[in-house]
PDB file of all heavy atoms in Angstrom:
ATOM      1  N   ALA A 242      -3.834   9.516 -17.618  1.00 92.00           N
ATOM      2  CA  ALA A 242      -5.139  10.144 -17.383  1.00 92.00           C
ATOM      3  C   ALA A 242      -6.252   9.371 -18.085  1.00 92.00           C
ATOM      4  O   ALA A 242      -7.386   9.334 -17.601  1.00 92.00           O
ATOM      5  CB  ALA A 242      -5.125  11.589 -17.861  1.00 92.00           C
ATOM      6  N   ALA A 252       6.532   4.940 -21.447  1.00 97.00           N
ATOM      7  CA  ALA A 252       6.789   6.336 -21.795  1.00 97.00           C
ATOM      8  C   ALA A 252       7.449   7.070 -20.631  1.00 97.00           C
ATOM      9  O   ALA A 252       8.389   7.857 -20.823  1.00 97.00           O
ATOM     10  CB  ALA A 252       5.484   7.028 -22.193  1.00 97.00           C
ATOM     11  N   VAL A 294      10.927   7.665  -4.837  1.00 96.00           N
ATOM     12  CA  VAL A 294      10.704   8.745  -3.864  1.00 96.00           C
ATOM     13  C   VAL A 294      12.004   9.081  -3.149  1.00 96.00           C
ATOM     14  O   VAL A 294      12.354  10.253  -2.956  1.00 96.00           O
ATOM     15  CB  VAL A 294       9.607   8.362  -2.859  1.00 96.00           C
ATOM     16  CG1 VAL A 294       9.623   9.314  -1.652  1.00 96.00           C
ATOM     17  CG2 VAL A 294       8.234   8.404  -3.520  1.00 96.00           C
ATOM     18  N   LEU A 390     -10.995  28.484  -7.625  1.00 85.00           N
ATOM     19  CA  LEU A 390     -11.372  27.739  -8.825  1.00 85.00           C
ATOM     20  C   LEU A 390     -12.714  28.188  -9.379  1.00 85.00           C
ATOM     21  O   LEU A 390     -12.938  28.121 -10.588  1.00 85.00           O
ATOM     22  CB  LEU A 390     -11.406  26.238  -8.513  1.00 85.00           C
ATOM     23  CG  LEU A 390     -10.044  25.585  -8.267  1.00 85.00           C
ATOM     24  CD1 LEU A 390     -10.207  24.134  -7.870  1.00 85.00           C
ATOM     25  CD2 LEU A 390      -9.154  25.702  -9.506  1.00 85.00           C
ATOM     26  N   ASP A 457     -28.530  -4.880  -5.249  1.00 97.00           N
ATOM     27  CA  ASP A 457     -28.050  -5.652  -6.397  1.00 97.00           C
ATOM     28  C   ASP A 457     -27.535  -4.737  -7.508  1.00 97.00           C
ATOM     29  O   ASP A 457     -26.516  -5.025  -8.149  1.00 97.00           O
ATOM     30  CB  ASP A 457     -29.157  -6.554  -6.932  1.00 97.00           C
ATOM     31  CG  ASP A 457     -29.486  -7.698  -5.972  1.00 97.00           C
ATOM     32  OD1 ASP A 457     -28.649  -7.975  -5.088  1.00 97.00           O
ATOM     33  OD2 ASP A 457     -30.570  -8.292  -6.108  1.00 97.00           O
ATOM     34  N   GLN A 484     -12.405  -2.858  -2.156  1.00 95.00           N
ATOM     35  CA  GLN A 484     -12.469  -2.497  -0.741  1.00 95.00           C
ATOM     36  C   GLN A 484     -13.725  -1.670  -0.463  1.00 95.00           C
ATOM     37  O   GLN A 484     -14.384  -1.840   0.567  1.00 95.00           O
ATOM     38  CB  GLN A 484     -11.227  -1.718  -0.324  1.00 95.00           C
ATOM     39  CG  GLN A 484     -11.200  -1.372   1.170  1.00 95.00           C
ATOM     40  CD  GLN A 484      -9.973  -0.583   1.554  1.00 95.00           C
ATOM     41  OE1 GLN A 484      -9.280  -0.038   0.687  1.00 95.00           O
ATOM     42  NE2 GLN A 484      -9.688  -0.505   2.839  1.00 95.00           N
ATOM     43  N   PRO A 513     -21.254   6.151   6.790  1.00 39.00           N
ATOM     44  CA  PRO A 513     -20.360   5.299   6.008  1.00 39.00           C
ATOM     45  C   PRO A 513     -18.923   5.775   6.156  1.00 39.00           C
ATOM     46  O   PRO A 513     -18.657   6.980   6.182  1.00 39.00           O
ATOM     47  CB  PRO A 513     -20.852   5.499   4.568  1.00 39.00           C
ATOM     48  CG  PRO A 513     -21.530   6.823   4.588  1.00 39.00           C
ATOM     49  CD  PRO A 513     -22.134   6.969   5.960  1.00 39.00           C
TER      50      PRO A 513
END
Side-chain angles (χ1 to χ4, degrees):
V294 166
L390 290 176
D457 290 342
Q484 183 181 16

